[in-house]
Amino acid sequence: MARVLLLNGPNLNLLGTREPALYGTDTLEAIQKRTEAVARETGHELIAFQSNAEHELIERVQRARAEGIAFMILNPGALTHTSIALRDAVLAVGVPFIEVHLSNTQAREAFRRHSYFSDIAVGVIAGLGAYGYEAAMRAAAQRLA
Ligand code: DQA
């Protein structure tokens, strides 16, 4: 059994009502519950955390190793395109992760095409909506096996 950290960044607490044409109608709570169910089904434990504050996400990542987190599923929201600080935190702890985006960031505005995380991620899932988190958890379980 491994411990997996599911991290969501700014504005993802608004899922369900936030631009549903882009992000779907599932709430973050529903997504977290489904991802947790997949974690349990595959014999793992999921810890979920969302914050709108960059420093809280950084602090959560910094604690990951000490808390025995073996893998992370990370949707940094808009911090994907801006945060060298969160990237550095992920590099500092060295815990492998999958980057997830509900929308296909490559098919949107030019500023969303660059990610500070993709080149250091195990893999990237984008454009599959809420299913992307479940897919990421299944992929994480495969890597942890
Ligand atoms: C997002 C894509 C980002 O560009 C955006 O800022 C988000 C959500 C996604 O899941 O599609 O907040 O990470």
Side-chain angles (χ1 to χ4, degrees):
M1 197 215 45
R3 197 170 274 178
V4 177
L5 179 64
L6 170 60
L7 269 187
N8 279 286
N11 300 309
L12 292 163
N13 56 313
L14 300 180
L15 287 178
T17 55
R18 176 191 180 195
E19 298 184 84
L22 266 177
Y23 299 120
T25 52
D26 288 323
T27 62
L28 182 60
E29 199 189 343
I31 290 171
Q32 285 172 346
K33 277 199 177 125
R34 280 209 300 278
T35 313
E36 215 172 286
V38 176
R40 259 200 314 273
E41 176 198 320
T42 53
H44 301 294
E45 180 194 356
L46 189 83
I47 296 169
F49 181 76
Q50 185 276 334
S51 179
N52 294 320
E54 187 176 18
H55 75 276
E56 286 183 2
L57 293 163
I58 290 169
E59 281 157 15
R60 199 65 193 75
V61 168
Q62 285 184 2
R63 288 205 304 273
R65 196 166 272 294
E67 288 177 351
I69 304 287
F71 206 92
M72 298 189 291
I73 298 169
L74 174 60
N75 183 350
L79 295 175
T80 304
H81 321 296
T82 63
S83 185
I84 298 170
L86 186 56
R87 173 194 170 94
D88 282 351
V90 169
L91 283 172
V93 296
V95 174
F97 73 99
I98 293 174
E99 177 183 349
V100 172
H101 300 285
L102 293 132
S103 64
N104 180 358
T105 46
Q106 295 302 313
R108 297 181 61 192
E109 301 97 322
F111 64 81
R112 292 187 207 276
R113 287 190 206 132
H114 176 260
S115 164
Y116 278 107
F117 300 88
S118 300
D119 64 311
I120 55 169
V122 169
V124 181
I125 298 172
L128 302 185
Y131 176 72
Y133 290 94
E134 182 181 331
M137 186 57 234
R138 291 199 186 280
Q142 223 171 44
R143 300 219 27 135
L144 291 164

mmCIF file of all heavy atoms in Angstrom, residues 19-36:
data_model
loop_
_atom_site.group_PDB
_atom_site.id
_atom_site.type_symbol
_atom_site.label_atom_id
_atom_site.label_comp_id
_atom_site.label_asym_id
_atom_site.label_seq_id
_atom_site.Cartn_x
_atom_site.Cartn_y
_atom_site.Cartn_z
ATOM 1 N N GLU A 19 -16.932 27.679 -15.432
ATOM 2 C CA GLU A 19 -16.849 27.438 -16.873
ATOM 3 C C GLU A 19 -17.121 25.965 -17.228
ATOM 4 O O GLU A 19 -16.238 25.277 -17.739
ATOM 5 C CB GLU A 19 -15.469 27.848 -17.395
ATOM 6 C CG GLU A 19 -15.157 29.325 -17.206
ATOM 7 C CD GLU A 19 -13.822 29.706 -17.819
ATOM 8 O OE1 GLU A 19 -13.778 29.968 -19.013
ATOM 9 O OE2 GLU A 19 -12.821 29.702 -17.074
ATOM 10 N N PRO A 20 -18.340 25.498 -16.976
ATOM 11 C CA PRO A 20 -18.622 24.073 -17.162
ATOM 12 C C PRO A 20 -18.376 23.541 -18.578
ATOM 13 O O PRO A 20 -18.059 22.358 -18.742
ATOM 14 C CB PRO A 20 -20.099 23.930 -16.777
ATOM 15 C CG PRO A 20 -20.626 25.302 -16.596
ATOM 16 C CD PRO A 20 -19.482 26.234 -16.408
ATOM 17 N N ALA A 21 -18.467 24.422 -19.571
ATOM 18 C CA ALA A 21 -18.217 23.970 -20.948
ATOM 19 C C ALA A 21 -16.760 23.529 -21.093
ATOM 20 O O ALA A 21 -16.437 22.637 -21.895
ATOM 21 C CB ALA A 21 -18.538 25.085 -21.930
ATOM 22 N N LEU A 22 -15.878 24.130 -20.286
ATOM 23 C CA LEU A 22 -14.450 23.795 -20.355
ATOM 24 C C LEU A 22 -14.059 22.710 -19.354
ATOM 25 O O LEU A 22 -13.267 21.818 -19.648
ATOM 26 C CB LEU A 22 -13.624 25.035 -19.995
ATOM 27 C CG LEU A 22 -13.113 25.943 -21.100
ATOM 28 C CD1 LEU A 22 -12.394 27.117 -20.464
ATOM 29 C CD2 LEU A 22 -12.147 25.182 -22.007
ATOM 30 N N TYR A 23 -14.624 22.843 -18.130
ATOM 31 C CA TYR A 23 -14.141 22.005 -17.035
ATOM 32 C C TYR A 23 -15.139 20.956 -16.557
ATOM 33 O O TYR A 23 -14.833 20.183 -15.650
ATOM 34 C CB TYR A 23 -13.725 22.905 -15.858
ATOM 35 C CG TYR A 23 -12.613 23.868 -16.208
ATOM 36 C CD1 TYR A 23 -12.786 25.246 -16.108
ATOM 37 C CD2 TYR A 23 -11.380 23.395 -16.647
ATOM 38 C CE1 TYR A 23 -11.764 26.129 -16.436
ATOM 39 C CE2 TYR A 23 -10.355 24.263 -16.985
ATOM 40 C CZ TYR A 23 -10.552 25.638 -16.874
ATOM 41 O OH TYR A 23 -9.533 26.493 -17.198
ATOM 42 N N GLY A 24 -16.337 20.940 -17.154
ATOM 43 C CA GLY A 24 -17.326 19.943 -16.769
ATOM 44 C C GLY A 24 -18.146 20.369 -15.562
ATOM 45 O O GLY A 24 -17.963 21.464 -15.022
ATOM 46 N N THR A 25 -19.038 19.493 -15.139
ATOM 47 C CA THR A 25 -19.985 19.844 -14.063
ATOM 48 C C THR A 25 -19.707 19.083 -12.762
ATOM 49 O O THR A 25 -20.412 19.268 -11.771
ATOM 50 C CB THR A 25 -21.436 19.559 -14.514
ATOM 51 O OG1 THR A 25 -21.500 18.220 -14.992
ATOM 52 C CG2 THR A 25 -21.878 20.511 -15.619
ATOM 53 N N ASP A 26 -18.702 18.222 -12.754
ATOM 54 C CA ASP A 26 -18.353 17.507 -11.514
ATOM 55 C C ASP A 26 -17.715 18.472 -10.525
ATOM 56 O O ASP A 26 -16.879 19.291 -10.909
ATOM 57 C CB ASP A 26 -17.341 16.388 -11.801
ATOM 58 C CG ASP A 26 -17.973 15.230 -12.533
ATOM 59 O OD1 ASP A 26 -19.130 14.906 -12.239
ATOM 60 O OD2 ASP A 26 -17.301 14.665 -13.414
ATOM 61 N N THR A 27 -18.085 18.339 -9.256
ATOM 62 C CA THR A 27 -17.418 19.143 -8.227
ATOM 63 C C THR A 27 -16.063 18.510 -7.892
ATOM 64 O O THR A 27 -15.839 17.327 -8.163
ATOM 65 C CB THR A 27 -18.253 19.193 -6.929
ATOM 66 O OG1 THR A 27 -18.371 17.851 -6.430
ATOM 67 C CG2 THR A 27 -19.630 19.777 -7.180
ATOM 68 N N LEU A 28 -15.208 19.313 -7.260
ATOM 69 C CA LEU A 28 -13.902 18.778 -6.853
ATOM 70 C C LEU A 28 -14.098 17.654 -5.840
ATOM 71 O O LEU A 28 -13.387 16.641 -5.872
ATOM 72 C CB LEU A 28 -13.019 19.889 -6.268
ATOM 73 C CG LEU A 28 -11.616 19.446 -5.860
ATOM 74 C CD1 LEU A 28 -10.832 18.890 -7.047
ATOM 75 C CD2 LEU A 28 -10.848 20.600 -5.219
ATOM 76 N N GLU A 29 -15.083 17.831 -4.971
ATOM 77 C CA GLU A 29 -15.349 16.796 -3.956
ATOM 78 C C GLU A 29 -15.703 15.465 -4.623
ATOM 79 O O GLU A 29 -15.202 14.412 -4.227
ATOM 80 C CB GLU A 29 -16.493 17.266 -3.053
ATOM 81 C CG GLU A 29 -16.529 16.524 -1.742
ATOM 82 C CD GLU A 29 -17.783 16.818 -0.932
ATOM 83 O OE1 GLU A 29 -18.477 17.817 -1.222
ATOM 84 O OE2 GLU A 29 -18.061 16.013 -0.026
ATOM 85 N N ALA A 30 -16.543 15.526 -5.659
ATOM 86 C CA ALA A 30 -16.927 14.297 -6.372
ATOM 87 C C ALA A 30 -15.712 13.673 -7.053
ATOM 88 O O ALA A 30 -15.524 12.445 -7.019
ATOM 89 C CB ALA A 30 -18.017 14.617 -7.397
ATOM 90 N N ILE A 31 -14.878 14.513 -7.651
ATOM 91 C CA ILE A 31 -13.669 14.010 -8.329
ATOM 92 C C ILE A 31 -12.741 13.354 -7.313
ATOM 93 O O ILE A 31 -12.196 12.266 -7.541
ATOM 94 C CB ILE A 31 -12.951 15.164 -9.066
ATOM 95 C CG1 ILE A 31 -13.785 15.606 -10.273
ATOM 96 C CG2 ILE A 31 -11.543 14.764 -9.487
ATOM 97 C CD1 ILE A 31 -13.282 16.871 -10.950
ATOM 98 N N GLN A 32 -12.574 14.022 -6.165
ATOM 99 C CA GLN A 32 -11.684 13.475 -5.134
ATOM 100 C C GLN A 32 -12.204 12.137 -4.634
ATOM 101 O O GLN A 32 -11.434 11.193 -4.423
ATOM 102 C CB GLN A 32 -11.554 14.472 -3.983
ATOM 103 C CG GLN A 32 -10.657 15.651 -4.337
ATOM 104 C CD GLN A 32 -10.661 16.741 -3.282
ATOM 105 O OE1 GLN A 32 -11.504 16.768 -2.386
ATOM 106 N NE2 GLN A 32 -9.732 17.648 -3.381
ATOM 107 N N LYS A 33 -13.536 12.034 -4.453
ATOM 108 C CA LYS A 33 -14.129 10.779 -3.963
ATOM 109 C C LYS A 33 -13.899 9.658 -4.952
ATOM 110 O O LYS A 33 -13.563 8.534 -4.573
ATOM 111 C CB LYS A 33 -15.629 10.968 -3.726
ATOM 112 C CG LYS A 33 -15.919 11.596 -2.388
ATOM 113 C CD LYS A 33 -17.367 11.347 -1.958
ATOM 114 C CE LYS A 33 -17.597 11.928 -0.567
ATOM 115 N NZ LYS A 33 -18.721 12.857 -0.519
ATOM 116 N N ARG A 34 -14.085 9.967 -6.252
ATOM 117 C CA ARG A 34 -13.885 8.927 -7.272
ATOM 118 C C ARG A 34 -12.419 8.492 -7.347
ATOM 119 O O ARG A 34 -12.111 7.314 -7.488
ATOM 120 C CB ARG A 34 -14.366 9.411 -8.643
ATOM 121 C CG ARG A 34 -15.886 9.307 -8.833
ATOM 122 C CD ARG A 34 -16.255 9.103 -10.284
ATOM 123 N NE ARG A 34 -15.787 10.194 -11.112
ATOM 124 C CZ ARG A 34 -16.430 11.362 -11.252
ATOM 125 N NH1 ARG A 34 -17.559 11.566 -10.613
ATOM 126 N NH2 ARG A 34 -15.949 12.296 -12.040
ATOM 127 N N THR A 35 -11.531 9.472 -7.258
ATOM 128 C CA THR A 35 -10.094 9.144 -7.309
ATOM 129 C C THR A 35 -9.713 8.312 -6.091
ATOM 130 O O THR A 35 -8.918 7.359 -6.183
ATOM 131 C CB THR A 35 -9.250 10.432 -7.384
ATOM 132 O OG1 THR A 35 -9.810 11.299 -8.366
ATOM 133 C CG2 THR A 35 -7.813 10.129 -7.767
ATOM 134 N N GLU A 36 -10.289 8.665 -4.959
ATOM 135 C CA GLU A 36 -10.058 7.918 -3.713
ATOM 136 C C GLU A 36 -10.541 6.473 -3.855
ATOM 137 O O GLU A 36 -9.880 5.535 -3.393
ATOM 138 C CB GLU A 36 -10.858 8.595 -2.610
ATOM 139 C CG GLU A 36 -10.235 8.588 -1.245
ATOM 140 C CD GLU A 36 -11.072 9.464 -0.319
ATOM 141 O OE1 GLU A 36 -10.994 10.696 -0.448
ATOM 142 O OE2 GLU A 36 -11.817 8.897 0.483
#
